[in-house]
Amino acid sequence: MKNSNEEIKEKTAETVLTDMQDPEEGAGGGAGVKKKKKKRRFGKNLLKKMKIKDESGKLRGKYIPEGGEFIPAVTLDDVHITYNTMQAVSIKGSIGRGLMHRSKYEAVKGVSVEVARGQIVGITGTNGAGKSTLLRAIAGIFSPDKGDIDLHGNTVSLLAIGVGFQKDLTGRENILLSGLLLGFSKQQIEEKTDEIIEFAGIGDFIDRPVSTYSSGMYSKLAFAVTTTLETDIMLIDEVLAVGDRKFRRKSFRRMKNLISNREHTFFIVSHSEDSLRNLCDTVLWLENGKVVMYGPANEVLDAYEKNTGDNASDGTEDGVAAGDDLPDVDSSTE
Amino acid sequence: MKTLKRFFTDLKKYFFYIRISAGSALKSEVADSYLNWIWLVLDPLCMMFVYAFVFGVIFEKKEQYFPLFIFVGLTQWNFFSTCVKKSVKMVKRNRSIVSKVYLPKVILLFTEMGVNSFKMLMSFLVVFVMMAVYGVVPSFKILYVIPMVLIVYLFTFGVMCICMHFGVYISDLGNVIEILMKLLFYGTGIVFDIRTRMGKHYPELATLLSKGNPMAYTIISSRDAMLYNTSPEIKWIFIWLGISLVLDVLGIFLIYKNENSYVKAI
């Protein structure tokens, strides 16, 4: 099941492809990973903050395409995120304590990581480690309280299913609405609409209101929208496969293709070590908002499994977070 | 300056989204009903008849062209009050969007304003039809309605920004606003003329309200311009335009400065 550590330095695009398996084919990491030596050019500041070193004492976790060079896609510099929960309080509750009830909770405490274009970064850690918070900060949903997130001009999107879907509108109208929300222009969306409809494979239902869809159809369309409208940096929060068995296989293949073409940078948050092992070349292990380890996927995951002991078996067995990890299919409109 | 520039860039960038989103919100609103789009006209029309009956028949207090008098008031009032009430829970209501993508929060406000603009437009069309029925012949003074509607827009947006911001943190602001709106409904004089009815016994209060309450000012002036062929006081147009613009700028700064922490609070 597990690769031997010594063999793995960095995965190339090809190896990632061979590594990955369809959900139905059972679990297991791939073997046959090429050894590669790459120049690394981390900033001094970042270098100090990351503790993970390889045998030669250098930092790891960088994907460098063949013959290419390290092009930074995301630079996190000492990112702190505090939930300054000026909680929504009732007026009664706020009397005597000032109008806002402040309680602070620091979810991310100084994370510094540099990620290259085309790199697939898995993020793991126990519940409440700050994984989703970090992901949402990268997506720009909220800003860090301290530190800096530099996306180097790349576009970013969180692969959330069904953003902005309105149940009274038709599938086709929802594609437009969701696409606009994800920051695409009308023209860009129109160019991709046919592809989305074809991939979703829900037939004539595309021109019927989404409220008439089964939950499976809804997920299919939503998945098709988010994965067809690609951004430079894609963030995935436990969303890897949806729908019935057939569509799950299809959607997994879509994810695999997206990931393996190395045009996009990925951040994947997952509790499933197997899926991280299969999909990612690097893994960032967070605990209590701090980086425990950042390095080659297998190495970090081995350490993580060893460290968490029994919890290690929590991951789904079939190499993809499916079924029980279904995203919150949110069709709420008011 | 930077914030204002960002505001206009966002407005341009999301203009199409606002249009589509407002359109779909309207569609959702009427999708399940039999009468569909007709409700958008029928709703204010029915309200007018209710008020006309209660105040005109029961209390026997009639202004000239009474139903029209009420309808002109309701047209602008409904826009203001619906927009403001909706803005309080705006972020929470759109949780499914704002927690998944970055969307400038002012865009949510514009979507709501778009929805209500359409309703106001329909309402104005009804006003024109009714004017024809009553045989009201407007002069060029009817053009004064334009700056009045502009004031309503600018003022409403400013108030919405402030309500949206505090609505994120104070959960019962909704109740407070609801009561304030009820009070303001009578303080704006939708169903009676503030100047004559209130002015009879409380002249100072009537002057204060008809000038110091922007909604009362715009509604009174709109009626004067449309129905009674009277010009408004020009000075107050500029005063209220100025105050509204200041309010808008403050609101925009407030939202842009804090919007990144809204998602953390809901």
Side-chain angles (χ1 to χ4, degrees):
Chain A
M1 286 285 284
K2 289 164 192 168
N3 296 315
S4 60
N5 263 342
E6 295 84 288
E7 280 191 349
I8 298 159
K9 290 291 167 277
E10 265 170 329
K11 291 182 182 181
T12 60
E14 303 87 73
T15 57
V16 168
L17 251 177
T18 54
D19 266 11
M20 292 195 298
Q21 300 177 349
D22 277 3
E24 275 73 23
E25 288 164 11
V33 183
K34 290 175 193 170
K35 251 186 175 179
K36 273 200 184 275
K37 282 182 184 171
K38 296 288 172 199
K39 275 188 181 174
R40 296 181 170 88
R41 276 189 280 150
F42 278 91
K44 263 187 183 174
N45 187 26
L46 290 160
L47 200 104
K48 248 193 260 172
K49 278 164 188 153
M50 284 189 295
K51 292 167 190 156
I52 311 310
K53 295 169 181 178
D54 61 13
E55 314 89 304
S56 54
K58 282 181 182 166
L59 283 158
R60 304 210 214 185
K62 196 180 281 189
Y63 168 79
I64 301 166
E66 248 168 303
E69 55 171 334
F70 183 85
I71 307 164
V74 179
T75 308
L76 305 180
D77 189 8
D78 195 25
V79 171
H80 289 258
I81 299 162
T82 307
Y83 281 97
N84 196 359
T85 47
M86 285 202 287
Q87 256 166 359
V89 290
S90 63
I91 288 184
K92 187 181 155 203
S94 64
I95 290 169
R97 272 186 288 171
L99 206 54
M100 308 294 183
H101 176 228
R102 287 165 194 272
S103 65
K104 280 191 177 181
Y105 171 70
E106 198 169 17
V108 176
K109 303 166 186 164
V111 171
S112 298
V113 173
E114 193 165 29
V115 172
R117 182 190 289 176
Q119 192 173 329
I120 321 295
V121 184
I123 305 179
T124 193
T126 47
N127 289 329
K131 307 182 292 288
S132 298
T133 305
L134 188 65
L135 212 59
R136 292 209 269 170
I138 298 171
I141 293 164
F142 41 67
S143 58
D145 297 277
K146 214 182 120 194
D148 187 45
I149 298 175
D150 188 357
L151 299 182
H152 304 277
N154 292 302
T155 55
V156 65
S157 71
L158 183 67
L159 259 71
I161 294 291
V163 176
F165 268 36
Q166 297 252 22
K167 60 181 180 2
D168 293 315
L169 299 185
T170 66
R172 203 183 285 275
E173 289 166 320
N174 269 310
I175 293 175
L176 182 61
L177 200 61
S178 198
L180 287 170
L181 261 179
L182 292 168
F184 293 90
S185 71
K186 188 188 172 200
Q187 198 193 350
Q188 283 171 315
I189 299 162
E190 276 168 354
E191 278 168 13
K192 295 267 188 178
T193 302
D194 287 339
E195 193 186 327
I196 293 170
I197 293 171
E198 198 196 322
F199 187 82
I202 54 172
D204 294 340
F205 270 90
I206 197 69
D207 289 313
R208 289 191 209 169
V210 168
S211 54
T212 62
Y213 287 21
S214 71
S215 61
M217 283 196 274
Y218 182 92
S219 312
K220 282 180 186 181
L221 180 64
F223 182 89
V225 171
T226 32
T227 54
T228 310
L229 296 167
E230 304 159 10
T231 50
D232 302 332
I233 301 164
M234 298 174 106
L235 314 168
I236 303 172
D237 198 350
E238 300 276 17
V239 184
L240 287 177
V242 292
D244 53 31
R245 204 173 179 78
K246 194 178 155 206
F247 192 81
R248 224 157 73 204
R249 189 188 270 267
K250 195 169 146 192
S251 59
F252 187 77
R253 223 174 293 133
R254 159 73 65 106
M255 293 303 308
K256 207 163 80 173
N257 287 338
L258 265 180
I259 290 173
S260 58
N261 71 19
R262 291 290 181 179
E263 282 167 14
H264 311 278
T265 307
F266 273 87
F267 284 81
I268 303 171
V269 165
S270 179
H271 284 289
S272 158
E273 281 111 52
D274 284 323
S275 67
L276 288 182
R277 230 180 257 279
N278 285 333
L279 295 171
C280 307
D281 51 23
T282 347
V283 166
L284 175 67
W285 173 13
L286 291 177
E287 219 56 77
N288 279 325
K290 286 181 180 160
V291 179
V292 180
M293 240 179 139
Y294 176 56
N298 284 289
E299 199 169 296
V300 177
L301 288 169
D302 285 345
Y304 177 68
E305 277 173 22
K306 209 183 277 177
N307 192 281
T308 48
D310 291 338
N311 298 341
S313 60
D314 281 353
T316 49
E317 282 301 308
D318 55 3
V320 58
D324 50 346
D325 277 325
L326 273 181
D328 54 328
V329 176
D330 205 346
S331 61
S332 67
T333 47
E334 305 225 351
Chain B
M1 242 12 245
K2 225 168 138 188
T3 310
L4 285 181
K5 205 177 152 199
R6 214 175 122 201
F7 168 74
F8 285 113
T9 318
D10 283 343
L11 199 56
K12 202 174 146 205
K13 186 180 168 196
Y14 285 95
F15 184 75
F16 189 65
Y17 171 75
I18 295 170
R19 229 182 74 192
I20 296 287
S21 166
S24 63
L26 273 169
K27 215 171 165 182
S28 306
E29 227 172 88
V30 295
D32 295 329
S33 51
Y34 285 112
L35 293 179
N36 234 294
W37 293 101
I38 299 171
W39 273 117
L40 295 178
V41 180
L42 214 54
D43 199 48
L45 210 58
C46 290
M47 283 315 287
M48 179 202 69
F49 283 124
V50 170
Y51 290 126
F53 176 73
V54 172
F55 291 90
V57 179
I58 300 179
F59 289 100
E60 291 182 38
K61 305 280 187 218
K62 278 190 193 165
E63 321 295 344
Q64 196 191 0
Y65 307 128
F66 196 47
L68 252 175
F69 174 92
I70 295 178
F71 208 89
V72 173
L74 274 183
T75 300
Q76 294 179 25
W77 173 259
N78 282 346
F79 175 82
F80 172 75
S81 97
T82 315
C83 280
V84 172
K85 280 188 207 163
K86 285 268 178 91
S87 67
V88 178
K89 292 246 154 81
M90 190 59 84
V91 178
K92 237 174 242 176
R93 201 169 34 243
N94 289 289
R95 188 201 307 251
S96 62
I97 293 174
V98 296
S99 65
K100 285 172 186 161
V101 289
Y102 170 72
L103 181 72
K105 306 300 173 283
V106 286
I107 301 300
L108 297 173
L109 297 181
F110 280 113
T111 302
E112 187 61 45
M113 286 176 88
V115 169
N116 290 298
S117 294
F118 187 80
K119 290 181 183 172
M120 184 156 72
L121 184 74
M122 299 301 273
S123 217
F124 263 118
L125 290 181
V126 176
V127 168
F128 290 128
V129 172
M130 282 170 68
M131 279 168 71
V133 172
Y134 275 86
V136 180
V137 185
S139 68
F140 75 95
K141 284 177 186 157
I142 198 171
L143 292 177
Y144 279 117
V145 172
I146 297 169
M148 294 308 152
V149 173
L150 186 66
I151 292 175
V152 171
Y153 265 97
L154 294 175
F155 182 71
T156 305
F157 179 70
V159 177
M160 282 175 93
C161 284
I162 292 161
C163 283
M164 177 168 84
H165 172 75
F166 289 104
V168 172
Y169 303 113
I170 306 168
S171 44
D172 21 19
L173 187 65
N175 307 48
V176 177
I177 293 290
E178 192 78 35
I179 295 165
L180 277 179
M181 283 296 159
K182 288 246 159 63
L183 190 67
L184 205 57
F185 177 83
Y186 293 101
T188 302
I190 313 294
V191 288
F192 57 87
D193 191 336
I194 287 186
R195 288 171 302 187
T196 55
R197 306 265 167 216
M198 216 180 252
K200 216 190 251 172
H201 304 290
Y202 310 100
E204 291 89 5
L205 183 67
T207 318
L208 182 75
L209 280 177
S210 60
K211 298 275 187 339
N213 168 4
M215 288 312 293
Y217 172 70
T218 58
I219 287 173
I220 290 170
S221 305
S222 300
R223 278 172 188 152
D224 282 351
M226 294 175 88
L227 310 178
Y228 309 121
N229 223 340
T230 314
S231 306
E233 271 186 68
I234 307 290
K235 181 178 80 179
W236 285 93
I237 295 184
F238 288 103
I239 290 177
W240 277 114
L241 273 178
I243 293 176
S244 302
L245 274 173
V246 171
L247 205 61
D248 289 346
V249 172
L250 286 177
I252 290 168
F253 275 101
L254 187 70
I255 299 289
Y256 273 94
K257 190 165 169 272
N258 294 291
E259 65 171 3
N260 262 318
S261 57
Y262 290 168
V263 182
K264 294 179 192 170
I266 55 171

